[in-house]
Amino acid sequence: MADNDIDTAGRTSGNGKGTTSAARNRAAARRSARASGTSEAAMKKQIAELKREVSRLNRMLSDQAEETAHGWYQSAADRASHLYSNASGRASRAAKQLRSQAHSVSETVQQNPGTISTAVAIGGLFGVLIGLAIARSSQPEPHWFHR
């Protein structure tokens, strides 16, 4: 048992190699902690820079999208305005032509009332006859009609 005490004492307080290696280990751990601390700080700094860059890019994309959308809106508004002005002009010309034709028809009716009334009566008679012919050909005869 005495041998064990001497051996244990020799290892702990012997030639000093045990303490030196422990000190070296502690120093290495401190250097490693400092290095990891500095690398962690550098990584945090890089992450912050990347966040700022992403924010800047997002703002640029937003501005570009806004400009593009404004351009599309302006282009669509210009086209709609152009189409409206063209349609308005066409509608105005069509209304003038319709008015002039209605005026000429009314003059003709006023000058020839008998001719117009006869033409309308003949047209109505033909319409009735055509309607009867179509109705008769499209429906089969009912059974009660044959009895």
Side-chain angles (χ1 to χ4, degrees), residues 34-108:
R34 271 188 244 131
S36 68
T38 55
S39 65
E40 186 176 321
M43 288 177 72
K44 285 182 181 180
K45 185 177 178 181
Q46 285 179 346
I47 288 172
E49 288 175 12
L50 288 173
K51 283 182 180 180
R52 282 191 296 272
E53 184 69 18
V54 166
S55 295
R56 188 181 66 78
L57 289 173
N58 280 337
R59 279 192 303 272
M60 281 179 30
L61 287 174
S62 174
D63 291 344
Q64 271 186 336
E66 184 179 334
E67 288 174 12
T68 302
H70 181 70
W72 286 345
Y73 173 77
Q74 191 63 38
S75 174
D78 290 345
R79 275 188 264 139
S81 175
H82 182 68
L83 289 174
Y84 176 75
S85 65
N86 284 347
S88 176
R90 287 181 187 164
S92 176
R93 286 191 299 272
K96 286 179 186 176
Q97 188 175 8
L98 188 61
R99 251 186 266 124
S100 69
Q101 288 177 355
H103 183 66
S104 67
V105 167
S106 69
E107 281 183 2
T108 305

Side-chain angles (χ1 to χ4, degrees), residues 2-19:
D3 291 335
N4 285 342
D5 288 339
I6 293 172
D7 191 32
T8 310
R11 262 193 245 151
T12 55
S13 63
N15 56 10
K17 288 184 181 177
T19 10

